[in-house]
Amino acid sequence: MTSTSPHAPPTPAAGSARPDAPPGMGETIRTVALGLAAAVLIQTVAFQPFTIPSASMEPGLVVGDYLVVSKSAYGWSRASVAFNPPLPPGRLFGRLPARGDVVVFRRPSNPDEIWIKRVIGLPGDRVEVVGGMVIVNGRPLPQRALGPGLDLDAPERPVLRVEERHPVGRAYVTFDAGAGLAGDDRPAQVVPAGQLFVMGDHRDNSLDSRWSGDVGVGLLPVTNLVGRAELVVASWKPGAALYKPWTWFNLRPGRLMQRIG
C-alpha cells in the first residue's frame, strides 16, 4: 500500500477533467455552431432584418431604414431561406398577403436581389393605371392631395404627397412627381393565379409590376415572398456605416420603432 502526503493534491480519476480547465476546442466549436444555427433558424422561421436600399417606397420608408420582416406572415418557401437554396416549389402554410401590405421578396428576374413594394392586386384582380390613378376591379383607389413633399433622393425635384386608400380601409401616403410620366398610364391586366401586382409608394421613382421583369418586377410570384415588413426599428442618415463608429449615432430619432402601414 502506498501512502500520500496529506498536503498533496489528489490525482484526478481517469477521464475526468479539472474543474478549472479551459473548455476544449470541440466545445467552443459546438457553442459557435449552435449559436449560428439558432440565428439562421430565427431568420428563416420568424424574423429577418432588412435595410432599405432605394427611394422607391418614399415617403413611408426611406433609404437607411432598418426593418424587421415577419417570415411567418405568408408561410415559408425557398425564398424565405438564406441563399435561396434549391428546395421543392410551393409554400408551407402559405397565405396570401392583404391588399396594401408592404412585402419583401426576391426579384423574379434575379432571386439574389431582395426588393420591397406594396401589394396592389391579388390573384384575379384587374389592375390598371390611368393618369396616375390606380384602378382595381373597375374602382379607382380614392386619392387625397396632402400638399408638397420632400424627395430625399432628389431634393430639387418637387413632389406632391397623396393619400391613397384601399377598399379594405388601409390608407398610406404616396409621392407623385407630376403628370404625364412613364408609369402614369398602364393598360388593364388581370393578375393570374399565384401572382401579385406590386407598386412602390414613390410612384414615379419605382420599377415595379408596371414594368417587365427584365426592367422592374413584372407580376410577382407568391413563392418569391420573403415576408411582410412590420416595423422600422431604426433609421440612419446617409453616410452611416458599421465600419465608421463615429457615424453610429447619426440616427433619425423620429423614425425609431415605427409600425409600417
Side-chain angles (χ1 to χ4, degrees), residues 48-52 60-62 64-69 102 104 116 228-234 255 258 260:
Q48 180 175 343
F50 179 78
T51 303
I52 295 294
L61 297 173
V62 301
D65 281 355
Y66 194 76
L67 315 181
V68 171
V69 177
V102 177
V104 173
I116 182 168
R228 180 175 63 209
E230 301 282 1
L231 184 72
V232 177
V233 178
R255 299 193 60 77
Q258 284 195 357
I260 297 172

Side-chain angles (χ1 to χ4, degrees), residues 55-115:
S56 70
M57 287 297 291
E58 287 184 357
L61 297 173
V62 301
V63 175
D65 281 355
Y66 194 76
L67 315 181
V68 171
V69 177
S70 169
K71 290 291 192 73
S72 61
Y74 312 126
W76 296 269
S77 71
R78 59 180 290 181
S80 312
V81 183
F83 310 115
N84 195 36
L87 298 175
R91 297 189 72 82
L92 180 65
F93 304 118
R95 293 174 295 279
L96 284 175
R99 295 180 184 89
D101 278 3
V102 177
V103 297
V104 173
F105 57 90
R106 294 186 181 273
R107 185 185 183 192
S109 62
N110 185 357
D112 291 334
E113 295 181 7
I114 306 293
W115 285 29

Side-chain angles (χ1 to χ4, degrees), residues 126-256:
R126 184 175 182 270
V127 181
E128 61 184 314
V129 185
V130 178
M133 178 166 285
V134 180
I135 302 173
V136 180
N137 297 326
R139 297 178 58 185
L141 300 185
Q143 295 182 340
R144 180 169 66 96
L146 300 177
L150 177 63
D151 185 340
L152 297 178
D153 196 40
E156 74 284 355
R157 179 171 55 195
V159 291
L160 179 66
R161 297 167 62 244
V162 178
E163 181 188 76
E164 187 171 271
R165 183 176 296 273
H166 258 276
V168 295
R170 177 172 293 179
Y172 44 87
V173 180
T174 66
F175 270 172
D176 181 7
L181 297 177
D184 284 350
D185 293 281
R186 281 292 182 267
Q189 185 173 19
V190 176
V191 182
Q195 302 196 52
L196 305 168
F197 194 100
V198 297
M199 295 177 68
D201 288 350
H202 194 329
R203 294 294 162 78
D204 297 307
N205 191 23
S206 174
L207 296 174
D208 45 46
S209 290
R210 292 172 292 176
W211 315 94
S212 69
D214 292 336
V215 177
V217 176
L219 291 169
L220 173 64
V222 174
T223 54
N224 283 51
L225 290 174
V226 172
R228 180 175 63 209
E230 301 282 1
L231 184 72
V232 177
V233 178
S235 183
W236 280 269
K237 297 175 184 177
L242 287 176
Y243 58 87
K244 298 177 182 178
W246 60 92
T247 68
W248 292 354
F249 298 99
N250 198 15
L251 292 168
R252 298 183 179 105
R255 299 193 60 77
L256 300 181

Side-chain angles (χ1 to χ4, degrees), residues 41-53:
L41 181 63
I42 291 171
Q43 289 201 13
T44 298
V45 176
F47 298 97
Q48 180 175 343
F50 179 78
T51 303
I52 295 294

